Amino acid sequence: MTATPPRPRDIVIVGASLAGVRAAETLRAEGFTGRLTLVGNERLTPYDRPPLSKGFLTAEHDPPATRLPVSDELRARWLLGRTAVALDLRDRAVTFSDGARLRYDGLVIATGATARPSAGPPAPSSGVFTLRGHDDATRLRGALARGRSLLVVGAGFLGGEIAAAGRARGLDVTLVETGAAPLERVVGPEVGAFVGMLHREAGIDLRTDTAVTEFRTTADGSLSGARLTDGTEVTADAAVLALGALPATDWLSDSGLRTEGGVHCDTRLRALALDGTPVPDVVVAGDVARAPQPLADGTPMALGHWTNAVDQAVTAARTLLRGADSPAFDEVPSFWSDLHGVRIRSVGLPAVADTVKVHEIDTSTRRLEASYHRAGRLVGALTIGRTSRLAAYHRSLAEASRAHHRAV
Amino acid sequence: MQISVDMNLCESHGQCVFAAPEVFSFDDEDYLVHDATPDDALREKVEKAAAACPVRAITVSPLPATAS
Ligand SMILES: Cc1cc2nc3c(=O)[nH]c(=O)nc-3n(C[C@H](O)[C@H](O)[C@H](O)COP(=O)(O)OP(=O)(O)OC[C@H]3O[C@@H](n4cnc5c(N)ncnc54)[C@H](O)[C@@H]3O)c2cc1C
Ligand code: SF4
């Protein structure tokens, strides 16, 4: 057997949501018996985010429970409602907003992401929302229940789902997108046009190549609508800015870690110091991690995918326990979104492709299959209503991913 | 080993199909089909499939005692 580094006795996980919880479960499953502390700035016990833009918003009466299942065997200390504000790598300590410090000898960074704020016109103090957490979803749900018209800014996956939820609740929905089609930059023009068609068929007023120039308010200051770049005005008593997410790295700004666009890490998910060397006792997982992507020739990327958070949590936890003997991260990214009753599903990294091949596209059955290629190699695939087709692509991508690791 | 999938929970995410294609697959309508008593050699893959399911629809248990 190979020599293993000294096992940590005291592990702190900052971010008590999907990646944090799964990292904790993996540590215990791998035999970690030391002290385990989960720190989270939300007060709720861990919950799952995907339903928040789907069934949670559309449910007529009580929203469905979104609680994340947590293993009974965690034996963890939970510090909920506590915000980490700084990390001291030399002292191996996390500082909280109240000044308290918590020492660790192994740290998991799993702070996720926050909704990207608008760079556009100033928003009125009420009626304009973003969606990331349970509290946001509860507020938005209330607005949908009261409102008649909804404006969604940004037709990405999240914006699309929110627009669909508004429509399902019978609101007049305007969906504004700066690109020529929804998701075009990520999935290509044909698939983007197909998604646009789904929105329009559902009765959503989709405005592409358009942005908001100004929000309008009534005399009492509440939202009444917006003016768009084409000069038209839309009515809305609620608006959602769905402009993507930013990795939650603020608290690490003076830590000496590389944090632009997410916490940079090596293939074993160890955080990288400013000089590019891995910090052995600090690992990263989930939306906050900017990890090398085998399918993009090792380019570091942060992914906002549920499965990525789960998969990286497992690798990160193993790395803390096994050090350089632990396996490198080579899971194939995968993502889903539900839209107007169909499932959009992707594997790999469609966004890094230079070529899209559409193998099936049928607007009447609402089915689509496309594969994505970069320099002639398969890098991803996307289906609508055809998840059954993805297993074969997933196999090829897993092989490509492993081959990349063998080559470096 | 015995596998059960709660089809009321299953949302056809396909994570289990990616993790253990020997055991889980989809029919042409994207409905999940699976082998309820796969070989024990597949245990690691099946456990990975259960952990990867976003709705935790998969339960893995030992076969009833008669099997051993
Ligand atoms: C509305 C919505 C719908 C989604 N739908 C899908 C979908 O359909 N399919 C899909 O694949 N993915 C979806 N996602 C993405 C998926 O939810 C994320 O990839 C996943 O939640 C990432 O998990 P995480 O643990 O890395 O981060 P998060 O879930 O963001 O958790 C991070 C936690 O850390 C806490 N935290 C942050 N900073 C601090 C700090 N300084 N101190 C203490 N705690 C802190 C946060 O409050 C949060 O609780 C969706 C996301 C959202 C928001
Ligand atoms: S991963 Fe879960 S939800 Fe998805 S197909 Fe398998 S059992 Fe169903």
Side-chain angles (χ1 to χ4, degrees), chain A residues 26-390:
Chain A
T26 306
L27 289 168
R28 289 300 189 216
E30 297 267 316
F32 173 68
T33 53
R35 183 152 72 154
L36 185 56
T37 309
L38 279 135
V39 181
N41 61 3
E42 294 182 278
R43 286 186 188 279
L44 285 172
T45 52
Y47 57 88
D48 213 14
R49 284 170 217 278
L52 298 181
S53 51
K54 307 177 178 68
F56 189 90
L57 294 182
T58 51
E60 234 355 273
H61 301 292
D62 294 339
T66 60
R67 203 184 152 88
L68 259 188
V70 176
S71 160
D72 301 335
E73 278 129 58
L74 267 196
R75 287 173 282 116
R77 175 163 66 137
W78 293 84
L79 301 181
L80 296 181
R82 305 286 301 269
T83 305
V85 293
L87 169 63
D88 183 337
L89 288 176
R90 212 167 10 153
D91 260 13
R92 296 172 150 190
V94 174
T95 307
F96 294 100
S97 50
D98 60 6
R101 278 163 78 85
L102 184 63
R103 301 287 300 262
Y104 63 82
D105 48 32
L107 176 72
V108 182
I109 297 174
T111 44
T114 51
R116 183 190 291 273
S118 172
S125 54
S126 76
V128 179
F129 303 85
T130 54
L131 176 55
R132 178 77 199 176
H134 198 279
D135 294 349
D136 302 330
T138 304
R139 279 192 291 269
L140 179 57
R141 191 172 186 279
L144 295 184
R146 287 188 305 272
R148 278 203 301 268
S149 49
L150 172 71
L151 168 67
V152 181
V153 185
F157 286 107
L158 195 64
E161 288 183 353
I162 295 166
R167 202 60 210 119
R169 298 199 68 142
L171 279 73
D172 291 330
V173 179
T174 311
L175 177 58
V176 174
E177 164 62 42
T178 51
L183 298 162
E184 190 178 17
R185 202 180 34 77
V186 185
V187 300
E190 276 163 297
V191 179
F194 191 95
V195 172
M197 184 270 313
L198 292 177
H199 285 316
R200 291 198 164 108
E201 269 188 359
I204 289 170
D205 181 1
L206 171 66
R207 312 281 188 95
T208 53
D209 291 317
T210 307
V212 172
T213 54
E214 188 191 338
F215 287 105
R216 291 297 175 87
T217 51
T218 57
D220 69 357
S222 53
L223 183 75
S224 61
R227 184 187 281 277
L228 307 181
T229 41
D230 61 7
T232 57
E233 276 190 37
V234 295
T235 312
D237 39 46
V240 184
L241 306 176
L243 306 168
L246 297 176
T249 57
D250 297 11
W251 67 287
L252 299 168
S253 54
D254 296 323
S255 65
L257 295 178
R258 289 191 66 173
T259 59
E260 64 282 3
V263 180
H264 291 237
C265 53
D266 69 3
T267 57
R268 291 183 173 76
L269 307 182
R270 289 177 294 200
L272 299 182
L274 291 174
D275 66 4
T277 57
V279 180
D281 45 17
V282 180
V283 293
V284 203
D287 286 13
V288 74
R290 190 174 173 92
Q293 293 296 328
L295 291 173
D297 310 310
T299 310
M301 291 170 66
L303 305 176
H305 300 178
W306 191 97
T307 54
N308 181 62
V310 169
D311 293 337
Q312 287 191 337
V314 173
T315 297
R318 286 184 179 153
T319 296
L320 266 193
L321 299 181
R322 301 187 204 166
D325 291 341
S326 69
F329 185 74
D330 63 1
E331 298 287 348
V332 175
S334 78
F335 180 82
W336 81 91
S337 176
D338 293 325
L339 208 58
H340 307 300
V342 294
R343 158 82 33 99
I344 304 177
R345 191 78 169 84
S346 79
V347 292
L349 295 170
V352 306
D354 54 37
T355 313
V356 187
K357 291 183 192 163
V358 177
H359 305 280
E360 177 184 8
I361 184 161
D362 186 336
T363 51
S364 59
T365 57
R366 307 207 292 172
R367 282 175 156 177
L368 180 146
E369 174 190 347
S371 63
Y372 293 80
H373 309 262
R374 168 171 157 128
R377 282 185 297 118
L378 179 75
V379 290
L382 181 146
T383 56
I384 298 178
R386 279 281 194 211
T387 312
S388 56
R389 301 279 174 87
L390 282 180

